Amino acid sequence: MIKKILLGFFILLLLLVIGMAVKNPGAAVAAWQLLSNASHFQRDLPSDEVLLQLKAARGFTVELYAEGLDRPRMMQLTSVGDLIVSDIGSDSILLLTDSNNDGHIDSRKTLLAERHNPHGLVLHDGWLYFAEPDSISRVQFDDVNLAVTGEIETLIDNLPYEGFHPLKTLAIADDQRLVFNVGSPCNNCLPDDERYSTMMRIELDGSNPTIVATGLRNSVGFDWAPWSGQLFATENGRDMLGDNFPPDELNLIDEGGFYGWPYYHGDNQPDPAMGQDRPDLLAITRPPAFQFRPHNAPLGLHFLHATDPLPAIYQRSAVVALHGSWNRSSLDGYKVTSLHWAEDGNIHSRNFLSGFLVDQTVLGRPVGVIQDSQGSVYISDDLGGRIYRMRPK
């Protein structure tokens, strides 16, 4: 079954390349490079063999929490510690349960099926909120019987989603408003709809849609620092400018801030194709708080909450899932990194979970990260269809 899926994926990409070659030669080159690098992906390697390659940060043990999923992405924890997961491969939202607490799920239940690329999830006040490419909806969630009840209520629809980055991530702020991303439809262009390449928010009932920040090509992961309340977001930089430019970014999101795309990248370096179009924006473009290696594709971001089992170094830190490169001559990324904030605001990084890239063979692609009340960190892998748990020793 998996081989048939991969064959279909390669055929689809090949057709995409042929179609784009007529309309957009540059995009065709990008798609062809993605197709070539996809041959390095090892999806069907047994889980125990993958685990042998993984290297957990000091003070943690990595274990397989779930396998046999399709393309798991974002996660939420219920009040009793079960895991709700969006699986865009099966267009479903799943509930994973480890009833005997042995570190591996013993039941899987479909909460919502036949959705359209469900991605972002928020569990709040008896409601399960979920994001699809064109909409954000909610349904009541019964925490006792672990089931959704009632009708699905669409809060906002007609969100833009054409092109490269249709998936929406969802989070809830302290002011009880929902925050979500709208990725750009392209590599570098000026979209017609002003909502593209932004962070947005709505009220819990879907009213008052507001653009919070602009110039963000694709900010899949975002979270608030618990010690300051500041919102940080990852960003995937543009492609097709070589192996080493531009860097991917972590941005401190301020209300009304502009973050450069498509005119400026990294420390406000001009884009070779569009950087001369708006020199007036250079003075207001916000530089990143931290730069990841180019094309590492940082996705999920989660600030760790200090608990007794965590090593002291993680008291002011976040974990970020690096989905991994495709637009490089040699692959890079494919790991989870931890970011550590010094008192002066400087940020440095460490490996948190590595080993998904072995001799240019990809064993997994980390996406979502979340922490439970015991300090354990869950990591989704949408290549292997697995979820790993990093448990403090």
Side-chain angles (χ1 to χ4, degrees), residues 50-324:
V50 177
L51 274 171
L52 288 175
Q53 301 296 328
L54 298 184
K55 301 176 181 64
R58 184 176 180 181
F60 289 87
T61 298
V62 60
E63 54 197 9
L64 181 68
Y65 182 76
E67 60 183 328
L69 308 178
D70 200 326
R71 293 183 63 197
R73 299 281 290 192
M74 296 304 175
M75 299 168 287
Q76 284 282 286
L77 284 156
T78 71
S79 61
V80 295
D82 296 321
L83 203 61
I84 300 177
V85 182
S86 60
D87 190 325
I88 62 173
S90 63
D91 281 333
S92 303
I93 296 176
L94 309 173
L95 177 72
L96 309 181
T97 302
D98 174 18
S99 58
N100 60 6
N101 199 32
D102 66 350
H104 193 280
I105 68 164
D106 43 55
S107 69
R108 181 173 76 179
K109 176 181 179 180
T110 299
L111 294 177
L112 295 172
E114 298 182 359
R115 305 309 306 176
H116 175 212
N117 283 339
H119 195 252
L121 301 171
V122 164
L123 193 59
H124 175 70
D125 200 20
W127 292 92
L128 174 61
Y129 296 82
F130 61 95
E132 297 173 276
D134 64 342
S135 64
I136 296 172
S137 307
R138 69 180 181 181
V139 65
Q140 288 182 315
F141 179 75
D142 185 340
D143 231 356
V144 176
N145 297 311
L146 300 177
V148 294
T149 61
E151 298 294 322
I152 295 174
E153 178 184 348
T154 300
L155 303 178
I156 185 172
D157 57 9
N158 295 318
L159 294 173
Y161 70 97
E162 299 294 333
F164 285 12
H165 308 118
L167 302 179
K168 308 287 189 290
T169 306
L170 196 59
I172 188 166
D174 286 342
D175 62 8
Q176 304 298 293
R177 291 188 284 190
L178 293 170
V179 178
F180 60 97
N181 65 306
V182 181
S184 69
C186 54
N187 189 37
N188 62 318
C189 66
L190 189 60
D192 293 333
D193 193 319
E194 66 174 358
R195 296 174 294 175
Y196 278 119
S197 62
T198 66
M199 299 284 294
M200 294 187 64
R201 67 166 176 252
I202 55 174
E203 305 297 331
L204 290 180
D205 62 2
S207 63
N208 194 27
T210 303
I211 294 176
V212 176
T214 59
L216 297 160
R217 181 172 175 266
N218 190 33
S219 291
V220 174
F222 45 92
D223 195 12
W224 290 264
W227 60 86
S228 67
Q230 294 173 308
L231 176 61
F232 287 85
T234 59
E235 182 183 6
N236 295 177
R238 68 156 291 186
D239 298 307
M240 309 312 295
L241 293 178
D243 283 0
N244 301 312
F245 185 79
D248 290 332
E249 299 178 5
L250 176 77
N251 290 300
L252 171 58
I253 303 299
D254 289 321
E255 184 90 17
F258 174 70
Y259 292 86
W261 186 87
Y263 305 106
Y264 301 98
H265 311 291
D267 290 327
N268 295 353
Q269 298 300 308
D271 184 271
M274 303 184 67
Q276 306 305 314
D277 295 351
R278 293 295 303 273
D280 56 305
L281 294 178
L282 179 59
I284 65 168
T285 298
R286 308 290 181 92
F290 178 82
Q291 297 184 26
F292 299 95
R293 289 169 59 86
H295 312 303
N296 275 198
L299 297 186
L301 164 70
H302 183 78
F303 279 95
L304 298 179
H305 293 262
T307 60
D308 288 341
L310 287 183
I313 193 173
Y314 294 100
Q315 297 305 304
R316 289 168 58 95
S317 67
V319 286
V320 178
L322 303 183
H323 201 224

